[in-house]
Amino acid sequence: MFNVILFILALLALSLSYVQSPGKTQKALKIAWTSFIRILPMMLGIIGLIGLVLTLLAPATIQAVFNNAQWWSTALAAVLGSLTIMPAFIAFPLAASFLREGAGVMPIAAFVTTLTMVGIVTAPMEISFFGRRLTLWRNILSFFAAIIIAYIMGRVLA
Amino acid sequence: MITKQTKPDSVQTKESTNTLSQRLKPYWLFLAVILLNLLLGLFQPSLALSSLKTSRDYLWEMLTFIPPIFILMGLLDVWVPRELVEKHVGPGSGWRGIALAIFVGTAAAGPLYAAFPLAATLWRKGAKVANVMIFLNTWAAIKIPMITVELKYFGPPFALLRLALTLPAVILIGFLIEHYVPHSREMT
């Protein structure tokens, strides 16, 4: 259902764009295609990894790592998210599958939030644009914001 | 003469090995996963089979919703005019500037590091540091294509609560940095 709505939305936007400017639409499709191709190798790898992880890790093991209401697993998940560089549409299904396998809301929310907002791998690049101090503080503040967000979500959704 | 002749040769071989490793590099995880599945198949064929089945289900799942998301990304990238944005998020732009920074951030496409050059340009052209940071963190955490994926996999309670908490956090982080972290545009 979700996919059908998304397809219709994309087609609608695409035709609207084409009516306005075929050239721009072509450029948009080119951007879409090159982004897709660029992400494809990693996507295939992650899809394979999801299969392996879900097969080899018993729900009990996952629950031990991403355990509910455990401060250290939330901290661990937040650190894991800060270190991981992964597009959301690949990481989210993985994290959601953990959640279904019995992981806690708190560590999963921490993981998802630091994954998007904190980037240790990309920090050198960020420093080259904004300097060391701004990069450091944006990432530190985002990290602690993620912990607080995760804590509230764990409490509300538990 | 001799050095001149050998130099291009060595450069060429270096380039060709570079492109080969560069072409294989994105596939490292995929290749590792295939290897692991083969190893698993040798010792536990049934586990390897169920691993491949799970992967196949996820592949199908992703292929049905990734094309429209990428098309929407491309359209947003092409139609949101950047010069206009640069003009409206400077000092004194107030809540309108914040709203604009959030709007453009959510309409963005691509990974966070793609936002760095644009955000740095906004900063250099006179955007407020708070707005630049809000723009960056919005791009990072609450862009629309990402929310649609989150809604799909985590459901509305998780996704919407996270959005409701992240939005004020992003604005607060922007202002904390603006007021308490020393910064100068000359740094870049």
Side-chain angles (χ1 to χ4, degrees):
Chain A
M1 191 59 199
F2 178 87
N3 295 345
V4 175
I5 293 171
L6 208 59
F7 260 101
I8 291 170
L9 196 71
L11 274 176
L12 224 68
L14 202 62
S15 16
L16 198 75
S17 168
Y18 190 81
V19 169
Q20 292 290 317
S21 160
K24 273 194 171 184
T25 310
Q26 207 174 358
K27 205 177 151 202
L29 284 176
K30 207 176 161 186
I31 290 169
W33 178 249
T34 48
S35 323
F36 177 68
I37 289 300
R38 203 170 45 233
I39 222 69
L40 193 65
M42 201 189 178
M43 200 179 90
L44 288 173
I46 298 289
I47 286 168
L49 193 65
I50 292 175
L52 273 174
V53 166
L54 290 184
T55 305
L56 295 178
L57 280 186
T61 321
I62 295 170
Q63 206 160 9
V65 178
F66 282 88
N67 205 356
N68 198 7
Q70 293 275 343
W71 69 266
W72 62 265
S73 66
T74 301
L76 194 74
V79 171
L80 206 67
S82 310
L83 285 168
T84 313
I85 177 163
M86 209 185 265
F89 59 83
I90 288 169
F92 284 9
L94 185 69
S97 69
F98 284 167
L99 202 60
R100 274 195 302 276
E101 298 288 331
V105 170
M106 222 180 271
I108 292 294
F111 174 77
V112 166
T113 308
T114 56
L115 180 79
T116 55
M117 282 171 84
V118 184
I120 291 175
V121 180
T122 53
M125 198 179 161
E126 193 174 347
I127 288 170
S128 72
F129 283 108
F130 296 101
R132 199 167 293 158
R133 205 177 273 154
L134 280 181
T135 301
L136 187 74
W137 282 105
R138 192 193 69 79
N139 282 284
I140 286 176
L141 289 172
S142 298
F143 184 87
F144 286 107
I147 298 276
I148 294 167
I149 289 167
Y151 179 79
I152 297 171
M153 286 186 70
R155 277 304 175 87
V156 172
L157 296 177
Chain B
M1 271 299 269
I2 291 162
T3 47
K4 260 188 181 174
Q5 268 184 335
T6 50
K7 229 179 180 177
D9 272 353
S10 64
V11 165
Q12 223 168 25
T13 48
K14 206 178 175 186
E15 265 180 0
S16 62
T17 51
N18 263 349
T19 50
L20 184 70
S21 63
Q22 267 168 9
R23 287 178 106 181
L24 278 177
K25 206 180 169 189
Y27 288 94
W28 71 269
L29 188 61
F30 187 52
L31 295 173
V33 160
I34 288 175
L35 203 72
L36 280 172
N37 264 316
L38 282 174
L39 276 172
L40 192 65
L42 281 177
F43 300 105
Q44 299 272 355
S46 63
L47 279 184
L49 202 70
S50 91
S51 158
L52 289 176
K53 264 186 180 165
T54 310
S55 293
R56 190 199 56 196
D57 292 347
Y58 269 91
L59 179 67
W60 176 244
E61 181 74 11
M62 286 186 169
L63 285 180
T64 53
F65 82 90
I66 278 178
I69 281 188
F70 271 89
I71 287 172
L72 286 174
M73 278 178 164
L75 287 173
L76 290 171
D77 206 23
V78 168
W79 284 106
V80 173
R82 288 174 181 175
E83 297 79 7
L84 191 82
V85 171
E86 287 166 356
K87 249 170 53 187
H88 288 90
V89 286
S93 54
W95 285 101
R96 223 176 60 106
I98 295 168
L100 206 57
I102 290 170
F103 176 74
V104 179
T106 54
L112 180 60
Y113 51 81
F116 292 154
L118 180 62
T121 311
L122 289 174
W123 189 30
R124 264 200 312 277
K125 292 197 174 183
K128 272 173 78 169
V129 167
N131 286 345
V132 173
M133 292 295 138
I134 289 167
F135 168 73
L136 265 185
N137 271 339
T138 308
W139 183 307
I142 45 184
K143 51 179 176 276
I144 287 163
M146 185 187 278
I147 293 168
T148 57
V149 177
E150 190 174 350
L151 273 170
K152 179 187 168 57
Y153 281 104
F154 291 95
F158 187 98
L160 295 181
L161 180 59
R162 210 176 70 82
L163 176 66
L165 293 170
T166 308
L167 195 60
V170 159
I171 295 171
L172 187 67
I173 288 169
F175 275 92
L176 284 174
I177 288 176
E178 167 108 35
H179 288 289
Y180 294 107
V181 181
H183 53 269
S184 67
R185 290 188 174 87
E186 285 69 41
M187 210 137 50
T188 53

